[in-house]
Amino acid sequence: MPYRPHSEQHPNERIGWLRAAVLGANDGIISTSCLLLGVAAANAGRSELLTAGVAALVAGAMSMAVGEYVSVSSQSDAEKASLDREREELLARPVAEQRELAGIYVSRGVTPELATQVAQQLMAHDALSAHARDELGIREDTAARPVQAAVTSAVTFSTGSALPLLTAIMAPADIRISLLAATSLLFLIVLGWLGAAIGNAPPLRAALRVGVLGAIAMAVTTGIGELLGTAVG
């Protein structure tokens, strides 16, 4: 029977972009809604909310993009340095590296004889890839990608931030705060649920966690906004 590659996908294969996307959107909703609630509680009008919200969206998206790029670039640099060092070791002492690879398979339950055969065949095919995957834990589909992480974070932050911003400028003044808080919490809960579902994690726990923490953050900023509005007014 001819060999057919295994095509099943697992959550860890998309964890990089999923992490950046969920973090970006979640940050956008929480930070912008909290800011707008604080400003609205200080008796600001629609124009002030629009100014504050757009500033929060742009500044937050840039901050997320730069932060993700720097963070993931550091991870990428570390991975490249590890691969360069491993490449040198493979050239300098290939026999010792083969024994090291075989030892990894033995520690995972493979018999020494089979582990040696597997190590020999894998190193004959692509020694660096074998050591990168099994010794260093670096895989092509999960490798750090700084630009992808930065763009994903910026776009998802902007998307998440736009939701409470649109709510704040479109809602009637008399129900603006309550409607903004309610819709932002709904957005957070849905996002938490979807993120967990995509990653095959328990969705209810994730939705409750982000909802409760988001509600606390909104309550704190609303209270501070009311205090400042009263004091300044």
Side-chain angles (χ1 to χ4, degrees):
M1 181 180 295
Y3 170 73
R4 295 181 180 179
H6 184 57
S7 60
E8 181 181 357
Q9 291 188 333
H10 298 278
N12 63 318
E13 298 176 1
R14 53 183 178 241
I15 194 65
W17 70 262
L18 177 62
R19 171 187 171 276
V22 171
L23 179 62
N26 189 73
D27 235 22
I29 295 172
I30 291 180
S31 60
T32 304
S33 62
C34 287
L35 173 66
L36 292 174
L37 283 168
V39 174
N43 300 317
R46 181 174 279 107
S47 60
E48 289 87 351
L49 288 171
L50 178 60
T51 301
V54 171
L57 188 155
V58 175
M62 295 301 99
S63 176
M64 288 291 294
V66 171
E68 279 294 310
Y69 185 84
V70 171
S71 174
V72 180
S73 290
S74 298
Q75 178 186 344
S76 179
D77 291 342
E79 291 178 353
K80 290 178 181 178
S82 296
L83 289 174
D84 290 340
R85 185 166 55 252
E86 191 64 31
R87 187 180 291 108
E88 294 174 358
E89 292 175 352
L90 286 169
L91 291 174
R93 49 192 193 103
V95 176
E97 288 297 306
Q98 179 179 302
R99 287 199 298 266
E100 182 180 22
L101 190 62
I104 293 173
Y105 300 142
V106 170
S107 68
R108 296 176 182 174
V110 181
T111 63
E113 295 78 10
L114 181 57
T116 299
Q117 294 177 18
V118 172
Q120 289 174 343
Q121 293 184 26
L122 287 177
M123 289 189 64
H125 174 68
D126 190 339
L128 183 61
S129 293
H131 281 268
R133 180 182 60 251
D134 295 323
E135 180 184 348
L136 305 177
I138 300 174
R139 294 172 47 189
E140 177 63 27
D141 56 355
T142 59
R145 295 179 174 84
V147 174
Q148 180 190 59
V151 172
T152 300
S153 293
V155 171
T156 53
F157 182 96
S158 299
T159 302
S161 183
L163 297 174
L165 175 57
L166 291 174
T167 302
I169 62 178
M170 294 176 63
D174 56 338
I175 61 170
R176 180 175 291 143
I177 292 179
S178 58
L179 186 60
L180 176 58
T183 54
S184 296
L185 279 176
L186 177 61
F187 296 146
L188 285 174
I189 291 172
V190 171
L191 177 65
W193 185 284
L194 288 176
I198 292 174
N200 291 338
L204 181 58
R205 181 189 307 171
L208 289 175
R209 179 171 57 234
V210 71
V212 170
L213 294 177
I216 293 173
M218 292 178 198
V220 170
T221 52
T222 302
I224 293 175
E226 290 179 350
L227 289 175
L228 290 177
T230 302
V232 174

PDB file of all heavy atoms in Angstrom, residues 50-88:
ATOM      1  N   LEU A  50     -15.622  60.298  20.163  1.00  0.00           N
ATOM      2  CA  LEU A  50     -15.070  59.921  18.867  1.00  0.00           C
ATOM      3  C   LEU A  50     -13.562  60.182  18.833  1.00  0.00           C
ATOM      4  O   LEU A  50     -12.780  59.328  18.376  1.00  0.00           O
ATOM      5  CB  LEU A  50     -15.762  60.703  17.753  1.00  0.00           C
ATOM      6  CG  LEU A  50     -15.245  60.456  16.328  1.00  0.00           C
ATOM      7  CD1 LEU A  50     -15.407  58.988  15.953  1.00  0.00           C
ATOM      8  CD2 LEU A  50     -15.960  61.357  15.336  1.00  0.00           C
ATOM      9  N   THR A  51     -13.150  61.339  19.319  1.00  0.00           N
ATOM     10  CA  THR A  51     -11.728  61.676  19.341  1.00  0.00           C
ATOM     11  C   THR A  51     -10.932  60.690  20.198  1.00  0.00           C
ATOM     12  O   THR A  51      -9.887  60.173  19.789  1.00  0.00           O
ATOM     13  CB  THR A  51     -11.517  63.099  19.872  1.00  0.00           C
ATOM     14  OG1 THR A  51     -12.225  64.018  19.037  1.00  0.00           O
ATOM     15  CG2 THR A  51     -10.037  63.462  19.883  1.00  0.00           C
ATOM     16  N   ALA A  52     -11.446  60.458  21.399  1.00  0.00           N
ATOM     17  CA  ALA A  52     -10.758  59.543  22.313  1.00  0.00           C
ATOM     18  C   ALA A  52     -10.727  58.131  21.748  1.00  0.00           C
ATOM     19  O   ALA A  52      -9.711  57.432  21.846  1.00  0.00           O
ATOM     20  CB  ALA A  52     -11.446  59.557  23.671  1.00  0.00           C
ATOM     21  N   GLY A  53     -11.839  57.695  21.165  1.00  0.00           N
ATOM     22  CA  GLY A  53     -11.909  56.338  20.641  1.00  0.00           C
ATOM     23  C   GLY A  53     -10.993  56.105  19.456  1.00  0.00           C
ATOM     24  O   GLY A  53     -10.309  55.070  19.370  1.00  0.00           O
ATOM     25  N   VAL A  54     -10.960  57.061  18.521  1.00  0.00           N
ATOM     26  CA  VAL A  54     -10.078  56.920  17.357  1.00  0.00           C
ATOM     27  C   VAL A  54      -8.621  56.939  17.795  1.00  0.00           C
ATOM     28  O   VAL A  54      -7.791  56.168  17.295  1.00  0.00           O
ATOM     29  CB  VAL A  54     -10.357  58.038  16.331  1.00  0.00           C
ATOM     30  CG1 VAL A  54      -9.303  58.031  15.232  1.00  0.00           C
ATOM     31  CG2 VAL A  54     -11.748  57.862  15.725  1.00  0.00           C
ATOM     32  N   ALA A  55      -8.290  57.833  18.731  1.00  0.00           N
ATOM     33  CA  ALA A  55      -6.917  57.882  19.240  1.00  0.00           C
ATOM     34  C   ALA A  55      -6.535  56.563  19.898  1.00  0.00           C
ATOM     35  O   ALA A  55      -5.421  56.051  19.719  1.00  0.00           O
ATOM     36  CB  ALA A  55      -6.769  59.029  20.234  1.00  0.00           C
ATOM     37  N   ALA A  56      -7.463  55.990  20.664  1.00  0.00           N
ATOM     38  CA  ALA A  56      -7.194  54.708  21.321  1.00  0.00           C
ATOM     39  C   ALA A  56      -7.018  53.596  20.295  1.00  0.00           C
ATOM     40  O   ALA A  56      -6.150  52.722  20.456  1.00  0.00           O
ATOM     41  CB  ALA A  56      -8.340  54.364  22.272  1.00  0.00           C
ATOM     42  N   LEU A  57      -7.826  53.614  19.248  1.00  0.00           N
ATOM     43  CA  LEU A  57      -7.736  52.580  18.215  1.00  0.00           C
ATOM     44  C   LEU A  57      -6.387  52.632  17.501  1.00  0.00           C
ATOM     45  O   LEU A  57      -5.683  51.614  17.378  1.00  0.00           O
ATOM     46  CB  LEU A  57      -8.877  52.754  17.212  1.00  0.00           C
ATOM     47  CG  LEU A  57      -9.072  51.664  16.154  1.00  0.00           C
ATOM     48  CD1 LEU A  57     -10.529  51.658  15.673  1.00  0.00           C
ATOM     49  CD2 LEU A  57      -8.165  51.854  14.946  1.00  0.00           C
ATOM     50  N   VAL A  58      -6.007  53.826  17.057  1.00  0.00           N
ATOM     51  CA  VAL A  58      -4.756  53.955  16.302  1.00  0.00           C
ATOM     52  C   VAL A  58      -3.542  53.669  17.189  1.00  0.00           C
ATOM     53  O   VAL A  58      -2.646  52.894  16.822  1.00  0.00           O
ATOM     54  CB  VAL A  58      -4.642  55.361  15.682  1.00  0.00           C
ATOM     55  CG1 VAL A  58      -3.285  55.533  15.001  1.00  0.00           C
ATOM     56  CG2 VAL A  58      -5.770  55.590  14.679  1.00  0.00           C
ATOM     57  N   ALA A  59      -3.516  54.298  18.372  1.00  0.00           N
ATOM     58  CA  ALA A  59      -2.373  54.095  19.270  1.00  0.00           C
ATOM     59  C   ALA A  59      -2.274  52.643  19.718  1.00  0.00           C
ATOM     60  O   ALA A  59      -1.174  52.071  19.780  1.00  0.00           O
ATOM     61  CB  ALA A  59      -2.506  55.010  20.485  1.00  0.00           C
ATOM     62  N   GLY A  60      -3.409  52.033  20.021  1.00  0.00           N
ATOM     63  CA  GLY A  60      -3.400  50.644  20.462  1.00  0.00           C
ATOM     64  C   GLY A  60      -2.951  49.696  19.375  1.00  0.00           C
ATOM     65  O   GLY A  60      -2.183  48.753  19.623  1.00  0.00           O
ATOM     66  N   ALA A  61      -3.419  49.917  18.148  1.00  0.00           N
ATOM     67  CA  ALA A  61      -3.028  49.046  17.037  1.00  0.00           C
ATOM     68  C   ALA A  61      -1.527  49.133  16.783  1.00  0.00           C
ATOM     69  O   ALA A  61      -0.852  48.118  16.572  1.00  0.00           O
ATOM     70  CB  ALA A  61      -3.801  49.426  15.776  1.00  0.00           C
ATOM     71  N   MET A  62      -0.982  50.362  16.815  1.00  0.00           N
ATOM     72  CA  MET A  62       0.454  50.526  16.614  1.00  0.00           C
ATOM     73  C   MET A  62       1.247  49.886  17.754  1.00  0.00           C
ATOM     74  O   MET A  62       2.283  49.245  17.538  1.00  0.00           O
ATOM     75  CB  MET A  62       0.800  52.010  16.508  1.00  0.00           C
ATOM     76  CG  MET A  62       0.222  52.716  15.295  1.00  0.00           C
ATOM     77  SD  MET A  62       0.769  51.987  13.713  1.00  0.00           S
ATOM     78  CE  MET A  62      -0.656  50.958  13.291  1.00  0.00           C
ATOM     79  N   SER A  63       0.754  50.072  18.970  1.00  0.00           N
ATOM     80  CA  SER A  63       1.435  49.493  20.124  1.00  0.00           C
ATOM     81  C   SER A  63       1.435  47.970  20.064  1.00  0.00           C
ATOM     82  O   SER A  63       2.456  47.323  20.329  1.00  0.00           O
ATOM     83  CB  SER A  63       0.762  49.960  21.417  1.00  0.00           C
ATOM     84  OG  SER A  63       1.338  49.347  22.548  1.00  0.00           O
ATOM     85  N   MET A  64       0.308  47.393  19.708  1.00  0.00           N
ATOM     86  CA  MET A  64       0.221  45.939  19.603  1.00  0.00           C
ATOM     87  C   MET A  64       1.147  45.414  18.511  1.00  0.00           C
ATOM     88  O   MET A  64       1.835  44.399  18.685  1.00  0.00           O
ATOM     89  CB  MET A  64      -1.220  45.524  19.309  1.00  0.00           C
ATOM     90  CG  MET A  64      -2.171  45.680  20.473  1.00  0.00           C
ATOM     91  SD  MET A  64      -1.851  44.506  21.810  1.00  0.00           S
ATOM     92  CE  MET A  64      -2.257  42.963  20.992  1.00  0.00           C
ATOM     93  N   ALA A  65       1.169  46.110  17.363  1.00  0.00           N
ATOM     94  CA  ALA A  65       1.999  45.660  16.251  1.00  0.00           C
ATOM     95  C   ALA A  65       3.474  45.701  16.631  1.00  0.00           C
ATOM     96  O   ALA A  65       4.223  44.740  16.404  1.00  0.00           O
ATOM     97  CB  ALA A  65       1.749  46.532  15.018  1.00  0.00           C
ATOM     98  N   VAL A  66       3.899  46.822  17.225  1.00  0.00           N
ATOM     99  CA  VAL A  66       5.304  46.953  17.612  1.00  0.00           C
ATOM    100  C   VAL A  66       5.659  45.936  18.700  1.00  0.00           C
ATOM    101  O   VAL A  66       6.709  45.280  18.649  1.00  0.00           O
ATOM    102  CB  VAL A  66       5.597  48.382  18.093  1.00  0.00           C
ATOM    103  CG1 VAL A  66       7.003  48.469  18.697  1.00  0.00           C
ATOM    104  CG2 VAL A  66       5.459  49.367  16.940  1.00  0.00           C
ATOM    105  N   GLY A  67       4.777  45.808  19.697  1.00  0.00           N
ATOM    106  CA  GLY A  67       5.045  44.874  20.781  1.00  0.00           C
ATOM    107  C   GLY A  67       5.152  43.441  20.300  1.00  0.00           C
ATOM    108  O   GLY A  67       6.064  42.705  20.701  1.00  0.00           O
ATOM    109  N   GLU A  68       4.226  43.025  19.436  1.00  0.00           N
ATOM    110  CA  GLU A  68       4.278  41.661  18.911  1.00  0.00           C
ATOM    111  C   GLU A  68       5.504  41.451  18.038  1.00  0.00           C
ATOM    112  O   GLU A  68       6.153  40.404  18.098  1.00  0.00           O
ATOM    113  CB  GLU A  68       3.008  41.363  18.096  1.00  0.00           C
ATOM    114  CG  GLU A  68       1.808  40.985  18.921  1.00  0.00           C
ATOM    115  CD  GLU A  68       1.990  39.649  19.634  1.00  0.00           C
ATOM    116  OE1 GLU A  68       2.375  38.666  18.985  1.00  0.00           O
ATOM    117  OE2 GLU A  68       1.755  39.612  20.847  1.00  0.00           O
ATOM    118  N   TYR A  69       5.831  42.455  17.229  1.00  0.00           N
ATOM    119  CA  TYR A  69       6.989  42.304  16.342  1.00  0.00           C
ATOM    120  C   TYR A  69       8.275  42.142  17.144  1.00  0.00           C
ATOM    121  O   TYR A  69       9.098  41.274  16.855  1.00  0.00           O
ATOM    122  CB  TYR A  69       7.098  43.512  15.410  1.00  0.00           C
ATOM    123  CG  TYR A  69       8.203  43.363  14.394  1.00  0.00           C
ATOM    124  CD1 TYR A  69       7.987  42.661  13.209  1.00  0.00           C
ATOM    125  CD2 TYR A  69       9.467  43.893  14.625  1.00  0.00           C
ATOM    126  CE1 TYR A  69       8.994  42.493  12.283  1.00  0.00           C
ATOM    127  CE2 TYR A  69      10.488  43.726  13.706  1.00  0.00           C
ATOM    128  CZ  TYR A  69      10.251  43.039  12.536  1.00  0.00           C
ATOM    129  OH  TYR A  69      11.256  42.864  11.622  1.00  0.00           O
ATOM    130  N   VAL A  70       8.437  42.987  18.156  1.00  0.00           N
ATOM    131  CA  VAL A  70       9.640  42.911  18.985  1.00  0.00           C
ATOM    132  C   VAL A  70       9.701  41.580  19.733  1.00  0.00           C
ATOM    133  O   VAL A  70      10.742  40.911  19.774  1.00  0.00           O
ATOM    134  CB  VAL A  70       9.687  44.088  19.979  1.00  0.00           C
ATOM    135  CG1 VAL A  70      10.811  43.886  20.999  1.00  0.00           C
ATOM    136  CG2 VAL A  70       9.861  45.397  19.238  1.00  0.00           C
ATOM    137  N   SER A  71       8.563  41.180  20.315  1.00  0.00           N
ATOM    138  CA  SER A  71       8.525  39.950  21.093  1.00  0.00           C
ATOM    139  C   SER A  71       8.809  38.723  20.224  1.00  0.00           C
ATOM    140  O   SER A  71       9.644  37.876  20.561  1.00  0.00           O
ATOM    141  CB  SER A  71       7.165  39.807  21.774  1.00  0.00           C
ATOM    142  OG  SER A  71       7.042  38.562  22.425  1.00  0.00           O
ATOM    143  N   VAL A  72       8.110  38.631  19.098  1.00  0.00           N
ATOM    144  CA  VAL A  72       8.267  37.462  18.237  1.00  0.00           C
ATOM    145  C   VAL A  72       9.616  37.490  17.523  1.00  0.00           C
ATOM    146  O   VAL A  72      10.192  36.440  17.237  1.00  0.00           O
ATOM    147  CB  VAL A  72       7.102  37.376  17.235  1.00  0.00           C
ATOM    148  CG1 VAL A  72       7.256  36.162  16.318  1.00  0.00           C
ATOM    149  CG2 VAL A  72       5.773  37.276  17.981  1.00  0.00           C
ATOM    150  N   SER A  73      10.149  38.696  17.256  1.00  0.00           N
ATOM    151  CA  SER A  73      11.481  38.788  16.658  1.00  0.00           C
ATOM    152  C   SER A  73      12.535  38.231  17.605  1.00  0.00           C
ATOM    153  O   SER A  73      13.482  37.560  17.176  1.00  0.00           O
ATOM    154  CB  SER A  73      11.815  40.240  16.311  1.00  0.00           C
ATOM    155  OG  SER A  73      11.030  40.700  15.245  1.00  0.00           O
ATOM    156  N   SER A  74      12.378  38.508  18.890  1.00  0.00           N
ATOM    157  CA  SER A  74      13.309  37.956  19.876  1.00  0.00           C
ATOM    158  C   SER A  74      13.244  36.438  19.875  1.00  0.00           C
ATOM    159  O   SER A  74      14.275  35.754  19.949  1.00  0.00           O
ATOM    160  CB  SER A  74      12.978  38.503  21.268  1.00  0.00           C
ATOM    161  OG  SER A  74      13.131  39.911  21.308  1.00  0.00           O
ATOM    162  N   GLN A  75      12.025  35.906  19.799  1.00  0.00           N
ATOM    163  CA  GLN A  75      11.869  34.455  19.730  1.00  0.00           C
ATOM    164  C   GLN A  75      12.487  33.906  18.449  1.00  0.00           C
ATOM    165  O   GLN A  75      13.170  32.872  18.470  1.00  0.00           O
ATOM    166  CB  GLN A  75      10.385  34.083  19.785  1.00  0.00           C
ATOM    167  CG  GLN A  75      10.125  32.589  19.673  1.00  0.00           C
ATOM    168  CD  GLN A  75       8.635  32.265  19.591  1.00  0.00           C
ATOM    169  OE1 GLN A  75       7.782  33.111  19.901  1.00  0.00           O
ATOM    170  NE2 GLN A  75       8.325  31.063  19.161  1.00  0.00           N
ATOM    171  N   SER A  76      12.270  34.616  17.334  1.00  0.00           N
ATOM    172  CA  SER A  76      12.823  34.172  16.060  1.00  0.00           C
ATOM    173  C   SER A  76      14.348  34.205  16.080  1.00  0.00           C
ATOM    174  O   SER A  76      15.014  33.289  15.571  1.00  0.00           O
ATOM    175  CB  SER A  76      12.302  35.064  14.934  1.00  0.00           C
ATOM    176  OG  SER A  76      12.840  34.683  13.685  1.00  0.00           O
ATOM    177  N   ASP A  77      14.917  35.245  16.685  1.00  0.00           N
ATOM    178  CA  ASP A  77      16.379  35.337  16.783  1.00  0.00           C
ATOM    179  C   ASP A  77      16.941  34.180  17.613  1.00  0.00           C
ATOM    180  O   ASP A  77      17.991  33.616  17.276  1.00  0.00           O
ATOM    181  CB  ASP A  77      16.775  36.667  17.419  1.00  0.00           C
ATOM    182  CG  ASP A  77      16.487  37.847  16.505  1.00  0.00           C
ATOM    183  OD1 ASP A  77      16.312  37.623  15.294  1.00  0.00           O
ATOM    184  OD2 ASP A  77      16.428  38.986  17.012  1.00  0.00           O
ATOM    185  N   ALA A  78      16.243  33.849  18.693  1.00  0.00           N
ATOM    186  CA  ALA A  78      16.693  32.747  19.539  1.00  0.00           C
ATOM    187  C   ALA A  78      16.628  31.419  18.772  1.00  0.00           C
ATOM    188  O   ALA A  78      17.537  30.576  18.887  1.00  0.00           O
ATOM    189  CB  ALA A  78      15.840  32.669  20.801  1.00  0.00           C
ATOM    190  N   GLU A  79      15.554  31.228  17.998  1.00  0.00           N
ATOM    191  CA  GLU A  79      15.439  30.001  17.214  1.00  0.00           C
ATOM    192  C   GLU A  79      16.547  29.911  16.166  1.00  0.00           C
ATOM    193  O   GLU A  79      17.147  28.844  15.960  1.00  0.00           O
ATOM    194  CB  GLU A  79      14.066  29.951  16.536  1.00  0.00           C
ATOM    195  CG  GLU A  79      12.898  29.758  17.506  1.00  0.00           C
ATOM    196  CD  GLU A  79      11.561  29.752  16.792  1.00  0.00           C
ATOM    197  OE1 GLU A  79      11.548  30.036  15.569  1.00  0.00           O
ATOM    198  OE2 GLU A  79      10.543  29.476  17.448  1.00  0.00           O
ATOM    199  N   LYS A  80      16.828  31.036  15.497  1.00  0.00           N
ATOM    200  CA  LYS A  80      17.881  31.034  14.471  1.00  0.00           C
ATOM    201  C   LYS A  80      19.244  30.748  15.088  1.00  0.00           C
ATOM    202  O   LYS A  80      20.063  30.023  14.508  1.00  0.00           O
ATOM    203  CB  LYS A  80      17.891  32.376  13.741  1.00  0.00           C
ATOM    204  CG  LYS A  80      16.674  32.598  12.843  1.00  0.00           C
ATOM    205  CD  LYS A  80      16.713  33.974  12.192  1.00  0.00           C
ATOM    206  CE  LYS A  80      15.475  34.189  11.317  1.00  0.00           C
ATOM    207  NZ  LYS A  80      15.467  35.557  10.714  1.00  0.00           N
ATOM    208  N   ALA A  81      19.483  31.340  16.264  1.00  0.00           N
ATOM    209  CA  ALA A  81      20.760  31.094  16.937  1.00  0.00           C
ATOM    210  C   ALA A  81      20.901  29.622  17.320  1.00  0.00           C
ATOM    211  O   ALA A  81      21.986  29.027  17.176  1.00  0.00           O
ATOM    212  CB  ALA A  81      20.875  31.971  18.176  1.00  0.00           C
ATOM    213  N   SER A  82      19.821  29.025  17.786  1.00  0.00           N
ATOM    214  CA  SER A  82      19.856  27.607  18.147  1.00  0.00           C
ATOM    215  C   SER A  82      20.104  26.739  16.927  1.00  0.00           C
ATOM    216  O   SER A  82      20.865  25.761  16.977  1.00  0.00           O
ATOM    217  CB  SER A  82      18.539  27.205  18.818  1.00  0.00           C
ATOM    218  OG  SER A  82      18.353  27.898  20.037  1.00  0.00           O
ATOM    219  N   LEU A  83      19.469  27.085  15.799  1.00  0.00           N
ATOM    220  CA  LEU A  83      19.663  26.311  14.572  1.00  0.00           C
ATOM    221  C   LEU A  83      21.093  26.460  14.044  1.00  0.00           C
ATOM    222  O   LEU A  83      21.687  25.482  13.559  1.00  0.00           O
ATOM    223  CB  LEU A  83      18.661  26.770  13.512  1.00  0.00           C
ATOM    224  CG  LEU A  83      17.202  26.373  13.763  1.00  0.00           C
ATOM    225  CD1 LEU A  83      16.296  27.016  12.721  1.00  0.00           C
ATOM    226  CD2 LEU A  83      17.028  24.867  13.739  1.00  0.00           C
ATOM    227  N   ASP A  84      21.644  27.672  14.125  1.00  0.00           N
ATOM    228  CA  ASP A  84      23.027  27.870  13.679  1.00  0.00           C
ATOM    229  C   ASP A  84      24.003  27.046  14.526  1.00  0.00           C
ATOM    230  O   ASP A  84      24.935  26.434  13.997  1.00  0.00           O
ATOM    231  CB  ASP A  84      23.398  29.351  13.770  1.00  0.00           C
ATOM    232  CG  ASP A  84      22.672  30.188  12.720  1.00  0.00           C
ATOM    233  OD1 ASP A  84      22.207  29.603  11.723  1.00  0.00           O
ATOM    234  OD2 ASP A  84      22.580  31.416  12.905  1.00  0.00           O
ATOM    235  N   ARG A  85      23.764  27.042  15.838  1.00  0.00           N
ATOM    236  CA  ARG A  85      24.631  26.267  16.721  1.00  0.00           C
ATOM    237  C   ARG A  85      24.491  24.776  16.439  1.00  0.00           C
ATOM    238  O   ARG A  85      25.494  24.036  16.419  1.00  0.00           O
ATOM    239  CB  ARG A  85      24.276  26.567  18.175  1.00  0.00           C
ATOM    240  CG  ARG A  85      25.198  25.913  19.182  1.00  0.00           C
ATOM    241  CD  ARG A  85      25.023  26.518  20.568  1.00  0.00           C
ATOM    242  NE  ARG A  85      23.646  26.473  21.031  1.00  0.00           N
ATOM    243  CZ  ARG A  85      22.844  27.545  21.132  1.00  0.00           C
ATOM    244  NH1 ARG A  85      23.292  28.750  20.799  1.00  0.00           N
ATOM    245  NH2 ARG A  85      21.609  27.426  21.583  1.00  0.00           N
ATOM    246  N   GLU A  86      23.265  24.335  16.192  1.00  0.00           N
ATOM    247  CA  GLU A  86      23.038  22.911  15.897  1.00  0.00           C
ATOM    248  C   GLU A  86      23.673  22.533  14.569  1.00  0.00           C
ATOM    249  O   GLU A  86      24.237  21.437  14.424  1.00  0.00           O
ATOM    250  CB  GLU A  86      21.532  22.633  15.861  1.00  0.00           C
ATOM    251  CG  GLU A  86      21.162  21.157  15.822  1.00  0.00           C
ATOM    252  CD  GLU A  86      21.591  20.431  17.088  1.00  0.00           C
ATOM    253  OE1 GLU A  86      21.614  21.064  18.169  1.00  0.00           O
ATOM    254  OE2 GLU A  86      21.905  19.228  16.997  1.00  0.00           O
ATOM    255  N   ARG A  87      23.616  23.424  13.593  1.00  0.00           N
ATOM    256  CA  ARG A  87      24.236  23.156  12.291  1.00  0.00           C
ATOM    257  C   ARG A  87      25.750  22.972  12.437  1.00  0.00           C
ATOM    258  O   ARG A  87      26.343  22.073  11.820  1.00  0.00           O
ATOM    259  CB  ARG A  87      23.921  24.306  11.339  1.00  0.00           C
ATOM    260  CG  ARG A  87      24.364  24.057   9.902  1.00  0.00           C
ATOM    261  CD  ARG A  87      24.024  25.230   9.004  1.00  0.00           C
ATOM    262  NE  ARG A  87      22.571  25.357   8.804  1.00  0.00           N
ATOM    263  CZ  ARG A  87      21.820  26.322   9.334  1.00  0.00           C
ATOM    264  NH1 ARG A  87      22.373  27.240  10.124  1.00  0.00           N
ATOM    265  NH2 ARG A  87      20.521  26.367   9.100  1.00  0.00           N
ATOM    266  N   GLU A  88      26.362  23.798  13.272  1.00  0.00           N
ATOM    267  CA  GLU A  88      27.798  23.673  13.518  1.00  0.00           C
ATOM    268  C   GLU A  88      28.135  22.362  14.211  1.00  0.00           C
ATOM    269  O   GLU A  88      29.133  21.706  13.875  1.00  0.00           O
ATOM    270  CB  GLU A  88      28.277  24.853  14.361  1.00  0.00           C
ATOM    271  CG  GLU A  88      28.187  26.202  13.657  1.00  0.00           C
ATOM    272  CD  GLU A  88      28.530  27.355  14.572  1.00  0.00           C
ATOM    273  OE1 GLU A  88      28.796  27.095  15.768  1.00  0.00           O
ATOM    274  OE2 GLU A  88      28.534  28.509  14.096  1.00  0.00           O
TER     275      GLU A  88
END
